[in-house]
Amino acid sequence: MVLTQRSYVRRPTLEDVARQSGVSKSTVSRVINGEARVRTEVVDRVRRVISELGYVPNQAARQLVTHRTNAVAVVAAQPENRLFIDPFFDLLLRGIRRELALHGAQAVLLFLEEPDDYARVADYLGGGHVDGAILFPLRPGDRLAEIIDRLGLPAVFGGRPLLRDGDPERPGQAHVDGDNRGGARLAVQHLVALGRRRIATVAGPYDQENSAVDRLAGYRDVLRDAVSPPLVERADYTRQGGADAMAALLDRHPDLDAVFVASDLMASGALQTLRERGRRVPEDVAVVGFDDLTSIAETTDPPLTTVHQDIEEMGRLMARLLLAREDAPDGPSVIVPTRLVRRASA
Amino acid sequence: MVLTQRSYVRRPTLEDVARQSGVSKSTVSRVINGEARVRTEVVDRVRRVISELGYVPNQAARQLVTHRTNAVAVVAAQPENRLFIDPFFDLLLRGIRRELALHGAQAVLLFLEEPDDYARVADYLGGGHVDGAILFPLRPGDRLAEIIDRLGLPAVFGGRPLLRDGDPERPGQAHVDGDNRGGARLAVQHLVALGRRRIATVAGPYDQENSAVDRLAGYRDVLRDAVSPPLVERADYTRQGGADAMAALLDRHPDLDAVFVASDLMASGALQTLRERGRRVPEDVAVVGFDDLTSIAETTDPPLTTVHQDIEEMGRLMARLLLAREDAPDGPSVIVPTRLVRRASA
DNA sequence: CTGAAAGCGCTAACAT
DNA sequence: ATGTTAGCGCTTTCAG
């Protein structure tokens, strides 16, 4: 027992309401569920009794028969607090919540932090507390994914998934992601359009993160039939990593005139390096970032031209996918488009 | 209906397990709930069948009879994303989750963002989905507080509550807060011990926030029987506010030799003003902050001496209070102690 | 348009 | 140590 027994107080039930209003339980049930075939007069009477008694339907009972809860779990694996620092998660969650709210569903957020949490969360999801789950960020192939499979719980995976060699493809499971590849293409095409000819990239950890792989691929897509051989330096999505990678690029290719940096955080580091090396931005080197984290992109010197993702829309989409309100274009996975936001750095 | 019907798949029930293992439902129930009086042999057999069938107990059914869910709601009113920017909430939530996990309870986080959310969250809480709720930050007197009262749902209020004139006192409801007054005393006593004689304070918005009231009271406590008349300037807990208030103080009291700033964020602004005015810290003016947000306090120049609150412990305490595992010293409310963290600014 | 009755899956006396 | 029996509070046929 978790909470002490004294915590339970008897609440009015459907039956109480029925007795008070002189109708049957069925009728009260109909009123509550807004069914048509009840006389207005009766509806009013029942409604009055409900509010007098302060009656609230017992969801457990309802759930037992309907198999529905009107609640959706959002499961967040939370490595090193990053979720709360990065506005990404905040925006995503907001989109999810708003879309679910539109459909009368309550989003409940669960955290996965320590190993023990897995079992408890699995029990929670398996226990029928929710109608479905949105998991973020979780690798397909995750232990929880198996559990969800076995339970037949509707689920959508989203965020920035990590994929490694040997991870099984699971085409059955819905998935939402930003258009990392297309966004990178936008960025590099912009640099090309600016007339830049020696376009380098500071890539993300493409041995670890899918998004980094895709952004690098987008860079290559554009340079393939173009102007400049690929000049790639890998970093780890941190500011310092971006600064170091920029230094390495300048050492190896002193003549570069543009750089696509695969995240705004890394780009802020890269800008610092460029400044230290006396390169003017954008005159000598044009810089484009990725993410459009305004807290970074608007405050760098110069402000950062970068690729924007509509993160809230991604959240909404995840919710809509789960609610099966939307037929995904091809299969259950959806890619959310990006757009370029021009500021001063390119 | 929120999720489409196809989402439901029949899962094995207690009865299925009982039939398969050739015992009664009661026995299976006993095995699941770890009761003693079952033969080891039978326990093993039942366990095997359970895992073969992939049986997971239906919580709704269980809940309907036990009136317990093993879940606790954490309700967060989220004005302007501040929850996700401020590490305060992150730490608090971590404490809550960990303590609940210790007792096998699952924390589920709900957000209160838009007016519509109230009704849905109230339904959720009233629907028996959870055994109790931790609400943060919420004024006693809040609409949701009433609902919780009426439902008899065990609840703990926490965080930095806002209290205004006319808000009812509600002694029945548990409450956790940091020791704002005691912490402020520590800060000012430290400045006194350093030999400072003209000690000013940049107070928080004490017309709006309880914490600001208490921190100012702590400052006055120490100066009452001491060295320096109170020199008070009010600001709004922002960085700019702190900078402006510091400027005002310097104008009015050019001879001040120390200042207690009621939040680290304001203190970072105050330090900037002092630098601009050519005052050395701590030689000319000693500065103490409040909160110990390390992302600020460790990176200011000089690093900030400040009052630390054990926020995770506050979270744990809120959970423990809810679980009634702890007898609160006096009444259901608890004040968590603070301590001074010395860095270079005082 | 309304009521009666069955049953969702589980636990908790009460027997045995 | 195990089985039997009632419900928990609700929705949902099925009658009327």
Side-chain angles (χ1 to χ4, degrees), chain B residues 172-313:
Chain B
Q173 239 148 10
H175 178 82
V176 173
D177 205 354
D179 186 5
N180 289 300
R181 186 162 185 167
R185 261 188 235 128
L186 287 178
V188 182
Q189 280 160 352
H190 175 67
L191 292 170
V192 171
L194 251 31
R196 306 292 168 150
R197 288 298 171 265
R198 296 283 287 165
I199 303 173
T201 186
V202 175
Y206 49 75
D207 53 338
Q208 291 179 48
E209 302 237 10
N210 230 12
S211 61
V213 174
D214 293 345
R215 291 174 192 185
L216 180 56
Y219 165 80
R220 293 208 143 103
D221 287 345
V222 177
L223 293 201
R224 176 162 306 139
D225 34 44
V227 288
S228 157
L231 315 173
V232 181
E233 189 70 29
R234 186 174 72 189
D236 59 358
Y237 276 154
T238 68
R239 189 185 143 85
Q240 188 59 48
D244 295 345
M246 188 71 243
L249 282 173
L250 287 172
D251 290 343
R252 289 195 354 240
H253 313 286
D255 60 333
L256 62 83
D257 59 5
V259 57
F260 163 56
V261 188
S263 84
D264 288 352
L265 196 56
M266 292 197 297
S268 72
L271 286 174
Q272 185 186 329
T273 297
L274 288 165
R275 200 178 312 118
E276 287 167 7
R277 300 285 185 104
R279 309 285 183 120
R280 292 167 305 159
V281 176
E283 294 82 353
D284 302 330
V285 180
V287 177
V288 180
F290 203 113
D291 286 339
D292 195 25
L293 300 185
T294 49
S295 62
I296 296 175
E298 288 180 350
T299 57
T300 52
D301 176 24
L304 199 59
T305 293
T306 186
V307 179
H308 177 89
Q309 326 189 54
D310 192 343
I311 300 169
E312 182 171 334
E313 179 59 23

Side-chain angles (χ1 to χ4, degrees), chain A residues 13-14 25 29 33 55 58 62:
Chain A
T13 71
L14 233 199
K25 294 196 297 174
S29 176
N33 295 296
Y55 168 77
N58 180 323
R62 178 180 273 177

Side-chain angles (χ1 to χ4, degrees), chain A residues 41-336:
Chain A
E41 185 189 313
V42 176
V43 171
D44 291 344
R45 182 149 35 98
V46 171
R47 288 240 174 87
R48 197 168 331 113
V49 174
I50 286 179
S51 83
E52 276 168 18
L53 263 44
Y55 168 77
V56 181
N58 180 323
Q59 295 299 333
R62 178 180 273 177
Q63 189 178 326
L64 190 55
V65 24
T66 61
H67 296 116
R68 267 174 296 100
T69 66
N70 252 27
V72 169
V74 178
V75 181
Q78 189 190 28
E80 309 152 31
N81 319 359
R82 273 176 48 195
L83 289 185
F84 284 91
I85 291 163
D86 194 331
F88 185 88
F89 183 66
D90 192 28
L91 288 168
L92 194 74
L93 193 59
R94 164 160 307 131
I96 293 171
R97 277 190 283 127
R98 290 196 172 157
E99 189 66 29
L100 288 178
L102 238 46
H103 298 278
Q106 174 67 50
V108 311
L109 184 54
L110 309 181
F111 289 96
L112 230 37
E113 193 187 32
E114 304 175 63
D116 289 354
D117 293 345
Y118 265 87
R120 210 173 355 84
V121 169
D123 279 356
Y124 185 89
L125 296 178
H129 288 287
V130 293
D131 296 335
I134 293 175
L135 298 103
F136 165 90
L138 220 64
R139 293 181 300 150
D142 191 290
R143 198 171 119 205
L144 212 53
E146 290 172 35
I147 293 171
I148 283 167
D149 268 7
R150 245 208 3 236
L151 294 171
L153 191 73
V156 173
F157 292 77
R160 298 163 161 157
L162 306 169
L163 268 178
R164 291 170 202 261
D165 293 345
D167 278 352
E169 281 295 327
R170 24 186 56 252
Q173 240 148 11
H175 178 83
V176 173
D177 205 354
D179 186 5
N180 288 300
R181 186 163 187 166
R185 261 188 235 127
L186 287 179
V188 182
Q189 280 161 351
H190 175 66
L191 292 170
V192 171
L194 252 30
R196 307 292 166 150
R197 288 298 172 265
R198 295 284 286 165
I199 303 174
T201 187
V202 175
Y206 48 75
D207 52 339
Q208 292 179 47
E209 302 237 10
N210 229 14
S211 60
V213 174
D214 293 345
R215 291 173 192 186
L216 180 56
Y219 166 81
R220 293 206 144 102
D221 286 346
V222 178
L223 293 200
R224 175 163 306 138
D225 35 43
V227 289
S228 157
L231 316 174
V232 180
E233 190 69 31
R234 185 175 73 190
D236 59 358
Y237 275 154
T238 67
R239 188 185 145 84
Q240 186 60 48
D244 295 344
M246 189 70 244
L249 281 174
L250 288 172
D251 290 343
R252 289 195 354 241
H253 313 286
D255 60 332
L256 63 81
D257 60 5
V259 57
F260 163 56
V261 188
S263 85
D264 287 352
L265 196 57
M266 292 197 297
S268 71
L271 286 175
Q272 185 187 329
T273 297
L274 288 165
R275 200 177 314 120
E276 287 167 7
R277 301 284 187 103
R279 309 285 184 120
R280 290 167 307 160
V281 176
E283 293 81 354
D284 303 330
V285 180
V287 177
V288 180
F290 203 113
D291 285 338
D292 195 26
L293 301 185
T294 49
S295 62
I296 296 176
E298 289 181 348
T299 58
T300 52
D301 176 25
L304 198 60
T305 292
T306 186
V307 180
H308 177 91
Q309 325 190 53
D310 192 343
I311 301 170
E312 181 171 335
E313 180 58 23
M314 283 176 61
R316 301 192 100 105
L317 215 42
M318 288 170 62
R320 249 178 278 148
L321 229 55
L322 189 70
L323 298 173
R325 283 280 181 283
E326 175 127 335
D327 287 311
D330 45 10
S333 287
V334 175
I335 302 298
V336 180

Side-chain angles (χ1 to χ4, degrees), chain B residues 38-323:
Chain B
V38 185
R39 267 188 327 204
T40 327
E41 187 189 314
V42 176
V43 171
D44 291 345
R45 181 149 35 97
V46 171
R47 288 239 174 87
R48 197 168 332 112
V49 174
I50 285 178
S51 82
E52 276 169 17
L53 263 44
Y55 168 77
V56 181
N58 179 323
Q59 295 298 334
R62 179 180 271 177
Q63 190 177 324
L64 191 53
V65 27
T66 61
H67 297 291
R68 265 174 297 100
T69 65
N70 252 29
V72 169
V74 178
V75 181
Q78 189 189 28
E80 307 152 32
N81 317 0
R82 273 177 45 197
L83 289 185
F84 284 92
I85 291 162
D86 193 332
F88 185 87
F89 183 67
D90 192 27
L91 288 169
L92 194 74
L93 194 58
R94 165 160 307 131
I96 293 171
R97 279 190 283 127
R98 290 197 173 156
E99 188 67 29
L100 289 178
L102 238 45
H103 298 278
Q106 174 68 50
V108 312
L109 184 54
L110 310 181
F111 290 95
L112 229 38
E113 195 186 30
E114 303 175 64
D116 289 354
D117 292 344
Y118 265 87
R120 211 174 353 84
V121 169
D123 279 356
Y124 185 88
L125 296 178
H129 289 287
V130 293
D131 295 336
I134 294 175
L135 299 104
F136 165 91
L138 221 64
R139 291 181 302 149
D142 190 290
R143 197 170 120 204
L144 212 53
E146 290 172 33
I147 293 171
I148 283 168
D149 267 8
R150 244 205 6 233
L151 294 171
L153 191 73
V156 173
F157 292 77
R160 298 162 161 159
L162 304 170
L163 267 178
R164 291 172 202 256
D165 293 345
D167 278 352
E169 281 296 327
R170 23 186 58 252
Q173 239 148 10
H175 178 82
V176 173
D177 205 354
D179 186 5
N180 289 300
R181 186 162 185 167
R185 261 188 235 128
L186 287 178
V188 182
Q189 280 160 352
H190 175 67
L191 292 170
V192 171
L194 251 31
R196 306 292 168 150
R197 288 298 171 265
R198 296 283 287 165
I199 303 173
T201 186
V202 175
Y206 49 75
D207 53 338
Q208 291 179 48
E209 302 237 10
N210 230 12
S211 61
V213 174
D214 293 345
R215 291 174 192 185
L216 180 56
Y219 165 80
R220 293 208 143 103
D221 287 345
V222 177
L223 293 201
R224 176 162 306 139
D225 34 44
V227 288
S228 157
L231 315 173
V232 181
E233 189 70 29
R234 186 174 72 189
D236 59 358
Y237 276 154
T238 68
R239 189 185 143 85
Q240 188 59 48
D244 295 345
M246 188 71 243
L249 282 173
L250 287 172
D251 290 343
R252 289 195 354 240
H253 313 286
D255 60 333
L256 62 83
D257 59 5
V259 57
F260 163 56
V261 188
S263 84
D264 288 352
L265 196 56
M266 292 197 297
S268 72
L271 286 174
Q272 185 186 329
T273 297
L274 288 165
R275 200 178 312 118
E276 287 167 7
R277 300 285 185 104
R279 309 285 183 120
R280 292 167 305 159
V281 176
E283 294 82 353
D284 302 330
V285 180
V287 177
V288 180
F290 203 113
D291 286 339
D292 195 25
L293 300 185
T294 49
S295 62
I296 296 175
E298 288 180 350
T299 57
T300 52
D301 176 24
L304 199 59
T305 293
T306 186
V307 179
H308 177 89
Q309 326 189 54
D310 192 343
I311 300 169
E312 182 171 334
E313 179 59 23
M314 283 177 59
R316 302 192 100 104
L317 214 43
M318 289 169 63
R320 249 178 278 148
L321 227 56
L322 189 69
L323 299 173

